[in-house]
Amino acid sequence: MKYSYVSHLECPKCHTAYQKNEVHHLCECGSPLLVHYDLEALKKDMPEPIPSERQSDLWRYHELLPLEEPTNLVSLGEGMTPLVPMTNIGRDMGIFHLLMKDEGMVPSGSFKARGAAVGISKAKELGIKEIAMPTNGNAGAAWSLYAARAGIKATIVMPEDAPEITRRECVVAGASLHLIDGLISDAGKVVAQAVKDYGLYDASTLKEPYRIEGKKTMGLELAEQLNWSMPNVILYPTGGGVGLIGIYKALLELKELGWVEGNLPRLVAVQSTGCAPIVQAWQDKKTLSEYWENSQTQAFGINVPKALGDFLVLDAIYQTNGCAVAIDDEVMLQELHTIGAMEGAFICPEGAAAFAAARELKQKGWIGDEETVVILNTGQGIKYPDTVKLDLPLLKKGDVLKR
Amino acid sequence: MKYSYVSHLECPKCHTAYQKNEVHHLCECGSPLLVHYDLEALKKDMPEPIPSERQSDLWRYHELLPLEEPTNLVSLGEGMTPLVPMTNIGRDMGIFHLLMKDEGMVPSGSFKARGAAVGISKAKELGIKEIAMPTNGNAGAAWSLYAARAGIKATIVMPEDAPEITRRECVVAGASLHLIDGLISDAGKVVAQAVKDYGLYDASTLKEPYRIEGKKTMGLELAEQLNWSMPNVILYPTGGGVGLIGIYKALLELKELGWVEGNLPRLVAVQSTGCAPIVQAWQDKKTLSEYWENSQTQAFGINVPKALGDFLVLDAIYQTNGCAVAIDDEVMLQELHTIGAMEGAFICPEGAAAFAAARELKQKGWIGDEETVVILNTGQGIKYPDTVKLDLPLLKKGDVLKR
């Protein structure tokens, strides 16, 4: 038994292979790289899924993660987030087996903690001293925090309009944070130049291969929480799309190991009508997306006009007979309030968009009454306080409540 | 085997007993009531601690919780928060076994979710339709959310100065929220009147007996996570003190069950120099605290000038040879930043006060080098964004980073 069964990195486009214990970013052909494991050997060593009594975080799946030395682990206890039944709103939508995987319940309050935990742990293993990345907020926050824990320096560039709280997280972690009057794509250009100028480790989405592996654990957990089975549909708010790529990769690996059986769930990429490059590409039956001009949405995490891994997202949708849906901000915010009032969950706008998409797909008949549907809520609502408007009565001492 | 071994309620002052399945608030003598269990029977039925493979939330301890019918359970997956090694800052303090129980990782991002989950579940079991409570923010947020999930109406009164984000949580949950120009004690008077006027269920701290039971699970988890053993010291940021009372109650129950052995940890109540009634009482060797005039601290959760359960908090400190420490806001905020930069954890100011107290107690020699010390971080830093000041460079498109 090995701690990790990682074997090598491989380009999903041109299939060039790369050594596992070297620093690699993109393939020579420009594509992101994927991490491969010796699943044959793991299947032989573990014919049954991992034991339920293992520690309750994402490192319970260490055989399927790229870290080889547990001493390099940088963890704040992330993972094994609850899979919460959403019975009230499910009934309201006519979906009778609706579950929410609540990614708010990780350090930094967003699913980005998974990618950061695995990415930073592996960076530490590779001897990295300094990273740089552009971010729409949550990723920069998570990577800053985990980098601090690992003793790695972080340089972060974030759009001025990104959620304000995420700035505080970067700063409290001691990261070097820069705001930019522009989008994440503009931030990306600044980072690319800094990486070149100063020899920093580029931790941009999919430019390092390990973030996907962290996000993959959402899929592993989901299968385990459903008693090693798969739901019918998974809806995922899609910006860079790493989570969706990761979940798809996880389920393929589990099938190859024989730990789950049957059809993969239909994967749904949820975007905003203000930034829907994947939805447009899917509607046009294309395998690549086009840059979305003048993108705008309050769901800042999915304001990504062109994702480097678009072809992987679209492939996952096509292979699973999934689809892609764009949701209007107003509809999304209404759904966010409905979820709060019906289920007692204050979720992020990106997650609310996914709920709105489920409602729409049920109305269209794309989701059936008895199907098991899982929605990924990618973060806590408290990180986006402006989604809830306030107009409150103010009492003075000695006042009484009137009804 | 029963789902719950709850037997009755009992007054810790005059020992009057009350039936378990009736609505009760305070004892006739004015004291809060405590929940009792048939530990003899449970010990017979479960000579060994609960099995590790149970679901990873606080309901894994259902035998020691007051809910009798699992169908009344109102849950968002709360509990089993990580116990995170704080090696870097521990070394900085000279405490070589320092652990943080991170209560930020529950729904609503604060430990108040525990009391709300158990309190609302039991309220549902008792047939309650409408609750009211005063709050310093986080409790009101948590109770509003769980009440919404249970279909129970909530009326909340909160000081105008309480953390702003908690208002949004109450509102998104559909609670009736009122701000007040005053302290939580002023809010409490308004609620007491409304309870009288409209026959609402009073969910004020310790005026309903079940919140303690939810908080108690912090102690149960802690013991289980330490492989059914106890640390030497536990530091707890203390406002109303329910968490500390709960942890103490949990450890006593576990000892009586024989699931843990040895000395109880020394319990430390951490307060602010701007509001330190428990510290003052402990220094004066008293069993009751006095109302703290003109209280003020940025750690809003511990701005409680007079706690109803003060005698229980002080008793827990005296019985365990613990102590009480007051921390200055400036020292607290400095510690908050040190923790961010050294450990990658953005914690709440109340939690930071507890870290500062550990540092002080180590310097004084009250904590020994080799002792195992657990600090309760009661919530996420992102709920208090103002603790981190911002002064950030703004780039324009095309700019490059300078070093």
Side-chain angles (χ1 to χ4, degrees), chain B residues 236-249:
Chain B
Y236 195 85
T238 304
V242 181
L244 196 138
I245 300 167
I247 290 170
Y248 180 57
K249 187 170 188 285

Side-chain angles (χ1 to χ4, degrees), chain A residues 99-113:
Chain A
L99 298 156
M100 173 175 76
K101 179 92 176 138
D102 191 359
E103 292 296 303
M105 275 189 260
V106 288
S108 83
S110 101
F111 76 124
K112 299 285 183 182

Side-chain angles (χ1 to χ4, degrees), chain B residues 11 13 27 42 51 91 114 142 160 194 228 234 247 252 276 403:
Chain B
C11 173
K13 268 194 177 152
C27 180
L42 179 53
R91 200 181 298 128
R114 292 183 189 268
E160 204 185 356
W228 300 106
I234 298 176
I247 290 170
L252 289 179
R403 320 240 287 173

Side-chain angles (χ1 to χ4, degrees), chain A residues 110-314:
Chain A
S110 101
F111 76 124
K112 299 285 183 182
R114 294 183 187 266
V118 174
I120 287 287
S121 293
K122 191 66 192 181
K124 187 179 169 195
E125 187 155 278
L126 291 168
I128 303 302
K129 302 290 177 218
E130 195 165 355
I131 64 159
M133 68 188 300
T135 180
N136 269 338
N138 281 322
W143 283 73
S144 294
L145 288 161
Y146 282 90
R149 191 163 175 86
I152 292 174
K153 282 190 192 172
T155 297
I156 311 288
V157 186
M158 185 189 290
E160 204 186 357
D161 294 338
E164 211 262 356
I165 288 176
T166 60
R167 296 182 196 176
R168 317 271 177 170
E169 298 177 271
C170 296
V171 169
V172 83
S176 169
L177 174 63
H178 304 259
L179 302 179
I180 187 164
D181 177 15
L183 292 175
I184 190 171
S185 42
D186 302 303
K189 284 172 200 159
V190 176
V191 166
Q193 189 62 44
V195 161
K196 215 187 261 180
D197 291 349
Y198 308 113
L200 309 179
Y201 182 77
D202 193 342
S204 307
T205 309
L206 295 179
K207 287 194 183 168
E208 67 82 51
Y210 304 107
R211 187 197 289 209
I212 296 182
E213 299 305 298
K215 301 280 184 77
K216 187 178 81 175
T217 58
M218 290 187 283
L220 301 175
E221 291 178 13
L222 199 50
E224 181 173 1
Q225 288 171 319
L226 293 171
N227 205 13
W228 299 105
S229 74
M230 293 184 287
N232 300 102
V233 176
I234 298 177
L235 294 105
Y236 195 85
T238 304
V242 180
L244 196 139
I245 299 167
I247 290 170
Y248 179 57
K249 186 170 188 287
L251 298 176
L252 288 178
E253 288 173 1
L254 291 179
K255 277 205 74 159
E256 199 169 328
L257 286 166
W259 293 2
V260 297
E261 290 177 349
N263 291 331
L264 289 187
R266 309 197 300 283
L267 298 176
V268 180
V270 180
Q271 300 200 300
S272 160
T273 49
C275 182
I278 300 284
V279 177
Q280 187 64 54
W282 177 77
Q283 284 171 347
D284 298 345
K285 301 195 168 71
K286 290 189 175 160
T287 56
L288 285 173
S289 68
E290 279 176 37
Y291 187 93
W292 190 272
E293 296 292 344
N294 303 316
S295 67
Q296 203 173 4
T297 166
Q298 281 197 60
F300 215 80
I302 54 176
N303 191 344
V304 180
K306 166 78 179 168
L308 191 57
D310 56 356
F311 70 101
L312 294 170
V313 173
L314 286 159

Side-chain angles (χ1 to χ4, degrees), chain A residues 52-53 56 76 84-85 105 107 130 145 149 164 168 172 179-181 198 340-341 343-344 385 388 393 395 401 403, chain B residues 52-53 56 76 84-85 105 107 130 145 149 168 172 179-181 198 340-341 343-344 385 388 390 393 395 401 403:
Chain A
S52 59
E53 66 267 22
S56 180
L76 288 158
V84 185
M105 275 189 260
E130 195 165 355
L145 288 161
R149 191 163 175 86
E164 211 262 356
R168 317 271 177 170
V172 83
L179 302 179
I180 187 164
D181 177 15
Y198 308 113
E343 297 286 1
V388 181
L395 305 173
L401 290 188
R403 320 239 289 170
Chain B
S52 58
E53 65 268 21
S56 179
L76 288 159
V84 186
M105 275 189 262
E130 194 164 357
L145 288 161
R149 192 164 174 85
R168 317 269 177 172
V172 82
L179 302 178
I180 187 164
D181 178 15
Y198 309 113
E343 297 287 0
V388 180
L390 297 178
L395 306 173
L401 290 187
R403 320 240 287 173

